[in-house]
Amino acid sequence: DIQMTQSPASLSASLEEIVTITCQASQDIGNYLSWYQQKPGKSPQLLIHSATSLADGVPSRFSGSRSGTQYSLKINRLQVEDTGIYYCLQHYSAPLTFGSGTKLEIK
Amino acid sequence: EVKLQQSGDELVRPGASVKMSCKASGYTFTDYAMHWVKQSPGQGLEWIGTIIPLIDTTSYNQKFKGKATLTADKSSNTAYMELSRLTSEDSAVYYCARGDYSSYILDYWGQGVMVTVSS
């Protein structure tokens, strides 16, 4: 199975700050990487797919990038509504595997 | 508008089975796969498996083989997951999620079903 190592586990940042979350894949997964945001009691919401493509309706302050087998989610100008848990997902091969999650809080 | 409406929360006895549903609307049901994901209390996400309703083909995470059975009814645009021989380890929230055939991007998710296994 492909392992996705996500960091950091938690993050506290100020409004308007820039934050970055990373996922390291245990092998090549190409651009088959998505990012999700999950709020308490809600289902995950797609933010980024294909490593760098913004999902429909997602604010442009979210962006994704790739360097080899390392993938990053960047949030520019952090807003209050960005609190939640963020997960990466590799969908290159079955079984699909998620990162362990990053809990983002506002200071 | 794409919508995945899941059935209600379940309280079940250890050793029993439970079958949950995921009714799709707002798109052509057979144009996409349906995936199922487990989220244990306070934990992350685990992929259970997927079904392609068009050809009734399934693929399971080895960890859930023998535990989960995925089916789909094209006539009612509904996907089902049955969990058998339930234990406390199966207490979790279960999500269905629509997935693109070729890329497996999970773009729309149901609201989740909370399964509690308790005597």
Side-chain angles (χ1 to χ4, degrees), chain B residues 28-103:
Chain B
T28 301
F29 185 60
T30 50
D31 281 353
Y32 291 83
M34 191 68 77
H35 297 252
W36 293 84
V37 174
K38 177 184 181 182
Q39 187 164 38
S40 300
Q43 300 298 310
L45 302 160
E46 289 184 281
W47 182 76
I48 296 170
T50 186
I51 184 166
I52 300 176
L54 181 65
I55 53 176
D56 259 338
T57 296
T58 54
S59 173
Y60 293 92
N61 184 337
Q62 184 69 32
K63 179 179 178 180
F64 293 94
K65 278 186 177 177
K67 171 63 66 177
T69 302
L70 305 183
T71 56
D73 179 359
K74 292 186 285 290
S75 68
S76 63
N77 295 338
T78 303
Y80 299 91
M81 179 172 70
E82 183 170 19
L83 300 172
S84 61
R85 298 182 303 277
L86 291 166
T87 72
S88 59
E89 297 293 305
D90 299 315
S91 293
V93 177
Y94 293 87
Y95 296 101
C96 60
R98 187 182 82 162
D100 177 83
Y101 276 155
S102 58
S103 68

Side-chain angles (χ1 to χ4, degrees), chain A residues 12-20 61 74-83 104-107:
Chain A
S12 181
S14 302
L15 289 174
E16 301 292 320
E17 196 173 327
I18 299 172
V19 300
T20 301
R61 63 179 181 275
K74 183 178 176 182
I75 310 174
N76 286 312
R77 303 189 316 279
L78 194 65
Q79 303 296 303
V80 170
E81 59 266 31
D82 298 334
T83 57
L104 174 60
E105 296 175 331
I106 305 296
K107 280 182 186 173

Side-chain angles (χ1 to χ4, degrees), chain A residues 1 32 34 36 38 41-46 49-50 56 87 89 91-92 94-100, chain B residues 35 37-39 43-47 59-62 95 102-112:
Chain A
D1 298 1
Y32 291 89
S34 298
Y36 296 85
Q38 186 178 32
K42 300 293 186 183
S43 55
Q45 299 291 305
L46 179 66
H49 65 85
S50 308
D56 292 343
Y87 295 95
L89 166 67
H91 45 96
Y92 175 77
L96 280 61
T97 46
F98 292 86
S100 53
Chain B
H35 297 252
V37 174
K38 177 184 181 182
Q39 187 164 38
Q43 300 298 310
L45 302 160
E46 289 184 281
W47 182 76
S59 173
Y60 293 92
N61 184 337
Q62 184 69 32
Y95 296 101
S102 58
S103 68
Y104 273 16
I105 294 170
L106 307 187
D107 56 359
Y108 289 91
W109 295 56
Q111 82 278 16

